[in-house]
Amino acid sequence: MNAQMKRAAAAMTVGGLVASGLLAAAGAAGAMPSDKLCGASDVEVTVSPDPSHASGHEAYVLTYTAASPTTNCKLQGAPTALTFVADGQRIDDVAAVPDATAANAAPVNLRDGHPAVSRIVQASAGTPNPRTPTTITFDLPTGPGGVPVVADWPDGEPLKGATVQVTAVG
């Protein structure tokens, strides 16, 4: 092999190593989608009124944020086993059902700086429940993981009607 070909081969080898190193670093920095299902310890959830609701409905946004900078897990579908709680007592006369799109929802990768959201939707004309929630509990869409998630309900916000819909995490 002549000297020019050796230099070209060496340059290609070094270039290939550099390129594969850059791809590996980009993959780690880009945080590839996770196959790990989120558990209650992986997320922090807040609930706030949603000002952009459909006519005749009110919505509350559940915002899921990563519990730590190293969190990288997957949520898919709608929260289940949603329970409204007023001062430590369960509000039993309200059912939470997933909306029609929840069964076909795409997975969402939750990681630091990339929150996810779902919504609780109620009819604005529904009869207000005599008890105002103070917290909610629910299982993550990816399964209970043994521990339900607990989040504070917005102060003084009424619960209306006998049924609410819960949307998929997106």
Side-chain angles (χ1 to χ4, degrees), residues 94-126:
V94 177
V97 296
D99 76 348
T101 63
N104 298 320
V108 174
N109 197 50
L110 182 70
R111 60 187 198 273
D112 192 37
H114 293 86
V117 298
S118 63
R119 287 175 173 70
I120 298 171
V121 182
Q122 63 186 7
S124 51

Side-chain angles (χ1 to χ4, degrees), residues 59-120:
Y60 296 91
V61 178
L62 292 110
T63 303
Y64 306 80
T65 55
S68 78
T70 60
T71 298
N72 185 12
C73 58
K74 174 173 70 171
L75 293 168
Q76 184 172 10
T80 60
L82 178 66
T83 302
F84 295 93
V85 179
D87 297 319
Q89 299 296 315
R90 182 181 170 139
I91 301 174
D92 288 324
D93 52 352
V94 177
V97 296
D99 76 348
T101 63
N104 298 320
V108 174
N109 197 50
L110 182 70
R111 60 187 198 273
D112 192 37
H114 293 86
V117 298
S118 63
R119 287 175 173 70
I120 298 171

Side-chain angles (χ1 to χ4, degrees), residues 40 81 137-140 144-150:
T137 65
F138 59 91
D139 292 334
L140 292 172
V147 179
V149 172
V150 178

